[in-house]
């Protein structure tokens, strides 16, 4: 969650400035950034409905968006104005996909007596990334005069998040123990 929030808040906070650097108008830069957030509204409702009937490992909803985010962080460096709209829509969808999964993960993999504590720790530590990421990006902009290296850092962070996703224990263990408890 720390790395997710580091990425998302850095991206959402500094993309408008980066788009202005690329020569996009102020109104278009703001609109593109808001499209990313608006796409999240139907995504947060539709994704759980669509995938609730399937036994899909939750890891998939973390590592796949992380790989896509790495691609987007690289692609934004070379994107033209038309393709930026597409990048922002994809960023909005995968942000919600990964965020929802990260929020529910402690409840799914921790024993029920520790789920509340685990969720609190995940959220508390996770939102430190929301503070640290944009500050670091601002310092990089002040020193280098450009946000390009920030996007390279976001690529690396996304790849690290991908690796961490594979270390998450399988959520099927808790489901099986819950099913066994229900039978007893």
């Amino acid at each position: 969650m720390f790395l997710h929030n580091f990425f998302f808040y850095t991206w959402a906070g500094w993309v408008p400035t980066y788009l202005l650097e690329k020569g996009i108008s102020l109104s278009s830069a703001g609109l593109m950034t808001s499209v990313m957030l608006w796409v999240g509204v139907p995504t947060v409702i539709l994704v759980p409905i669509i995938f609730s009937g399937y036994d899909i490992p939750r890891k998939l909803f973390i590592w796949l968006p992380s790989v896509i985010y790495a691609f987007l962080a690289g692609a934004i460096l070379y994107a033209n104005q038309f393709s930026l709209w597409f990048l922002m829509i994809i960023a909005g969808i995968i942000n919600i996909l990964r965020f929802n999964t990260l929020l529910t993960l402690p409840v799914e993999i921790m024993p029920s007596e520790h789920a509340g504590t685990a969720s609190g720790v995940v959220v508390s530590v996770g939102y430190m990334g929301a503070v640290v990421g944009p500050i670091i990006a601002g310092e990089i902009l002040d020193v280098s005069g450009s946000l390009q290296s920030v996007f390279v850092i976001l690529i690396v962070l996304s790849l690290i998040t991908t690796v961490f996703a594979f270390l998450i224990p399988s959520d099927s263990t808790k489901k099986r123990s819950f099913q066994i408890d229900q039978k007893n």
Side-chain angles (χ1 to χ4, degrees), residues 26-80:
L26 182 61
S27 59
S28 291
L31 183 59
M32 281 182 190
T33 305
S34 69
V35 162
M36 177 185 68
L37 302 172
W38 284 105
V39 168
V41 174
T43 303
V44 78
I45 296 166
L46 293 176
V47 168
I49 291 170
I50 293 169
F51 291 108
S52 65
Y54 301 102
D55 190 25
I56 300 171
R58 299 299 178 238
K59 290 180 189 185
L60 176 69
F61 295 120
I62 298 171
W63 72 259
L64 184 59
S66 298
V67 169
I68 295 169
Y69 255 152
F71 170 77
L72 294 178
I76 198 168
L77 296 171
Y78 305 101
N80 61 28

Side-chain angles (χ1 to χ4, degrees), residues 3-12 14-15 66-67 69-74 76 98 133-134 137 140 147-161:
L3 293 174
H4 169 78
N5 283 333
F6 189 111
F7 188 106
F8 174 71
Y9 285 95
T10 302
W11 178 277
W14 286 103
V15 157
S66 298
V67 169
Y69 255 152
F71 170 77
L72 294 178
I76 198 168
R98 188 167 73 171
I140 291 171
L147 288 167
Q148 289 187 346
S149 56
V150 170
F151 291 106
V152 173
I153 291 168
L154 293 180
I155 292 169
V156 172
L157 288 178
S158 292
L159 296 176
I160 291 170
T161 305

